[in-house]
Amino acid sequence: MYEVAVIEDPAAAEASLDPMRSKLLAQLVEPGSATSLAAKVGLARQKVNYHLRTLERHGLVELVEERKKGNVTERVMQATAASFVISPTALASVQPDPARSPDRLSARWLLALAAQLVRDVGSLVTGATEARKRVATFAIDGEIRFASAADRAAFAEELAGAVTSLVSKYHDEGAEGGRDHRLVIAVHPAVTKEH
């Protein structure tokens, strides 16, 4: 089971967004059968089986084992990932495009960049999984507290200068055998979780 998997297919996204199927996916982080799941989600075993077959058809759950119980074969299923991200590719005709209106200070442009990041990295992960390879990535995540809006603006300007300097130092347009990489840096207000 993967920690995170990307859903790129619109039909799989639709299947995963059904409230009952979403509940079943959450329960199937640990293997379970239709019988054991029925009690947990308050649904008849036959209905749970219907939902499990739909999730299996879309690659969101997989068979772990089959157990014989009298005349019945019990199928034990498990989610293919602990959590899922739906790629903007699933909404192909309306997916965000940051090239439409680039604006470094726009929250909506940042959201379009984030969607592009999910789409691109999701595609890389899917391809790497099929090829049984890893994707070379690097990320930094952290928080910073600014005393004022002026400090935030000064930080953004200094960060832009430092990144521009690093890019000009290491970017080699003519490098034979080189590979292009995308660099995304974002600063936004932290979202606090209410307890």
Side-chain angles (χ1 to χ4, degrees), residues 111-133:
L111 192 58
L113 279 176
Q116 177 180 311
L117 182 67
V118 168
R119 185 193 67 223
D120 292 352
V121 175
S123 178
L124 289 168
V125 166
T126 299
T129 300
E130 289 170 3
R132 298 185 190 274
K133 293 186 176 182

Side-chain angles (χ1 to χ4, degrees), residues 82-104:
S83 57
F84 295 89
V85 174
I86 297 176
S87 170
T89 303
L91 297 168
S93 59
V94 292
Q95 66 180 305
D97 180 4
R100 268 188 238 146
S101 57
D103 176 358
R104 289 189 334 177

Side-chain angles (χ1 to χ4, degrees), residues 1-187:
M1 174 193 308
Y2 297 107
E3 182 59 36
V4 180
V6 181
I7 299 173
E8 295 175 316
D9 176 55
E14 182 181 359
S16 72
L17 291 172
D18 175 272
M20 181 52 66
R21 292 180 190 141
S22 181
K23 260 188 201 176
L24 291 170
L25 282 172
Q27 291 293 323
L28 286 171
V29 171
E30 298 295 326
S33 66
T35 303
S36 67
L37 290 167
K40 291 178 183 175
V41 298
L43 204 60
R45 181 183 53 79
Q46 294 82 353
K47 289 268 190 191
V48 171
N49 261 327
Y50 165 77
H51 289 302
L52 290 177
R53 281 192 295 277
T54 300
L55 292 169
E56 185 179 24
R57 188 170 56 250
H58 293 293
L60 302 172
V61 299
E62 60 191 358
L63 181 67
V64 174
E65 68 174 299
E66 290 183 327
R67 301 177 188 150
K68 288 280 190 193
K69 288 197 170 186
N71 293 339
V72 178
T73 301
E74 183 179 58
R75 300 178 81 225
V76 178
M77 309 298 287
Q78 185 170 21
T80 53
S83 57
F84 295 89
V85 174
I86 297 176
S87 170
T89 303
L91 297 168
S93 59
V94 292
Q95 66 180 305
D97 180 4
R100 268 188 238 146
S101 57
D103 176 358
R104 289 189 334 177
L105 302 178
S106 165
R108 295 192 187 281
W109 187 63
L110 175 57
L111 192 58
L113 279 176
Q116 177 180 311
L117 182 67
V118 168
R119 185 193 67 223
D120 292 352
V121 175
S123 178
L124 289 168
V125 166
T126 299
T129 300
E130 289 170 3
R132 298 185 190 274
K133 293 186 176 182
R134 298 183 68 189
V135 180
T137 61
F138 171 76
I140 296 175
D141 179 35
E143 288 191 26
I144 183 171
R145 185 178 184 99
F146 297 107
S148 67
D151 284 354
R152 183 186 64 235
F155 173 84
E157 204 55 43
E158 196 171 327
L159 179 63
V163 170
T164 300
S165 175
L166 274 172
V167 168
S168 64
K169 179 178 178 180
Y170 289 100
H171 179 68
D172 187 347
E173 189 68 40
E176 196 171 315
R179 184 172 183 188
D180 291 339
H181 284 70
R182 178 165 299 282
L183 173 67
V184 177
I185 298 172
V187 176

